[in-house]
Amino acid sequence: MKKILLSLITLLTFGLTNAQVKEKGVIEITPKIGASSFTEYNEDDSTDYNSGVELGATIDYYFNDRWSLRSGLIANKMGGKYNFEDNIYEDKLNYLTIPVNANWHFGSTRKWNLNFGLSPSFLMSAKVSENGFTADIPDNIIESFQLGFTFGIGYKIGITEKFGILIDAQWFNGLTNINKVPDNRTITNGGYSFNLGGVIQL
C-alpha cells in the first residue's frame, strides 16, 4: 500500500511540474537538429526529393498560456534531384531561414503546439552535383531570396519546470519564384523536416 501511495504522489508531483501555465512574457529557446527532404516544383513537373540535415534554434515569446510568437534561425538544405538524359543531378541550395510563426499551444497541459506563418529565406550557397562531381551554380540562375509559408506540429516532453524535449515536424511551401533565368518558368522549393530539440525556459 505504501509503495502504491508513494507512486501516486510521485506521479502527481511529476504531472504538476510539467503542467506549468505560461504567463505573458515567458521566453523559451529551442536549439534543434533534424532530417529534411525537399523538392523543386515547376509548372511541368517536380524533381525527386533530396535529403539533408537541418540545424538551428527557435525562440518563443508567450502572450498567454495558449499563444506565442515563434521566430529564430534555421539552416536548411533545399533543392531537389532530377534525371536528365539518364544522368542524376542534384541541386544543393543552402538557405538561412527566419520563421515568423504564430504558435498555438493546446491540450490540457499545453504540451502540443501547432505553428504557422511566413518564412523569408536567404540563399547562402548553391551547388549542383552530378555523379560525385560538384560545381557552383552561377548567381544569375537562382534568386538569393525566397518567401515561404511554413506550418508544423510538435509535442513537448517536460523534464523539469525549465527544460523539456521537443519533437516536431515542419513543412515549407515556397511562395516566390527562385528561377532567375528569363524562360518564364516558375520554380519553388517545397519540403518537410522532422526535428528534435531541447526547450530551455529563460
Side-chain angles (χ1 to χ4, degrees), residues 68-127:
S68 66
L69 178 66
R70 174 179 288 183
S71 189
L73 294 172
I74 306 293
N76 42 19
K77 174 188 164 189
M78 300 188 191
K81 293 181 179 179
Y82 53 98
N83 190 320
F84 181 70
E85 295 182 352
D86 296 326
N87 290 318
I88 303 298
Y89 296 85
E90 181 180 2
D91 285 341
K92 299 179 178 181
L93 310 180
N94 294 305
Y95 286 90
L96 184 65
T97 299
I98 305 172
V100 183
N101 286 9
N103 201 6
W104 177 50
H105 306 267
F106 63 98
S108 58
T109 56
R110 310 294 188 264
K111 291 181 180 179
W112 288 95
N113 73 81
L114 184 68
N115 62 87
F116 52 91
L118 297 176
S119 290
S121 296
F122 302 89
L123 188 65
M124 306 302 290
S125 68
K127 298 180 182 296

Side-chain angles (χ1 to χ4, degrees), residues 140-156:
N140 62 347
I141 300 294
I142 305 289
E143 293 284 354
S144 60
F145 172 83
Q146 70 173 342
L147 183 65
F149 174 73
T150 50
F151 61 97
I153 187 167
Y155 182 80
K156 182 169 66 177

